[in-house]
Amino acid sequence: TPSPASTKARGLLLGAAVGDALGAPFEGRHSVDGAQLVRQERSAEALRYTDDTALTLVLARHLAERRGMVAVDEDTLAGQLAREWRREPWRGYGAGSREVFERVLAGTPWAEASKVSFAGHGSYGNGAAMRVAPIALVSAGPTHAAELARKSAVVTHAHRHGQEGAALQACAAFLALSSDPASPLNREAFLGRLGHTIEHTEWQSRLDQVRRLIGTSSPTFAASQLGNDATAVASVPLAVLAFLQYPDRPAEAIRYAIRAGGDTDTIASMAGALTAARTGAQAIPPEWLARLESASDIGDLADTLATRTPSSR
Ligand code: R7I
Ligand code: MG
Ligand code: MG
Ligand code: MG
């Protein structure tokens, strides 16, 4: 039987991939009704993931290769991300990220390339947050996770908000991964720890909104309050809320994220990573994993990274 660390690492990566793939057909919709989602869930078609998972796997392999070294090397990572885009450019990449990758491949240093988009201040899209979850697997604590996340983010997202979104998601992933699924999640403590690590006031107020929305709020109401678009500040908080609504049920967290509409692949991917990092991969519906592209390779990569989780130290 797989170790608990391995089961949780598999949950983190497979939860991210399956959320992305299930949410992808609905990306950009104002909202998604239950019947549409049920049709997607019952289909026998392969579940294809998008750029979110493609780049999550790049970062996961980067971290696995760097065992015994500084966990994130910006120069190496920038090239690896850009080459993945060139290999499969049809996965649905954001326009800002495509611009950065083109320049990096043409030889422009990432520090310069990442600042060219959006009138010179760089992207505050959610593209750094959407790929960041594997950072949790090599972090020593929530603050460390946030630091490594910012390092991994800056190579494409020069804007502070793009980096803070990644820091928040990585910190949440670390806390979810290190939580004990046998006892109920302490949501107050979880949000308190996130707020302690992510100090920027804009993000603090989003976390306060998340706290107030836990419980009864519908996905569409939550989206109207928190936002659901492809910017970091209007997507990572909704993913954290989806997790806090259903911390022990990855399928429900993913459904909640998709039904909120907007950037459905990305928000469902982030929510899936958080939830299944807590529960372990066995809580993801097996019929979803059976349809998921490359599921067994993703599981193998998770096993490799699992030997670096804090629980095995
Ligand atoms: O961040 P990024 O890679 O996008 C990820 C998204 C996810 O939904 C993926 O599933 C994929 O579909 O793309 O790419 P960016 O283009 O840098 O950022 C995403 C979007 O955020 C942009 O297309 C803009 O709509 C918005 N955005 C900004 N808008 C105005 N000003 C990001 N930065 C800015 C900005 O500075
Ligand atoms: Mg995508
Ligand atoms: Mg370095
Ligand atoms: Mg998306």
Side-chain angles (χ1 to χ4, degrees), residues 70 72-74 151:
V70 176
V72 175
D73 182 75
E74 296 95 323
K151 265 186 97 176

Side-chain angles (χ1 to χ4, degrees), residues 20 24 27 49-53 91-94 126 130 263-266 269:
D20 174 18
E27 191 181 26
Y49 60 73
T50 76
D51 58 322
D52 304 52
T53 300
R91 291 249 185 218
Y93 286 83
N126 57 20
M130 76 185 185
D263 194 0
T264 47
D265 62 336
T266 303
S269 179

Side-chain angles (χ1 to χ4, degrees), residues 88-109:
E88 297 183 334
W90 44 266
R91 291 249 185 218
Y93 286 83
S97 284
R98 290 200 308 263
E99 265 188 85
V100 176
F101 294 148
E102 236 162 49
R103 287 186 163 82
V104 166
L105 291 175
T108 306

Side-chain angles (χ1 to χ4, degrees), residues 120-131:
H121 62 72
S123 173
Y124 51 70
N126 57 20
M130 76 185 185
R131 68 178 183 236

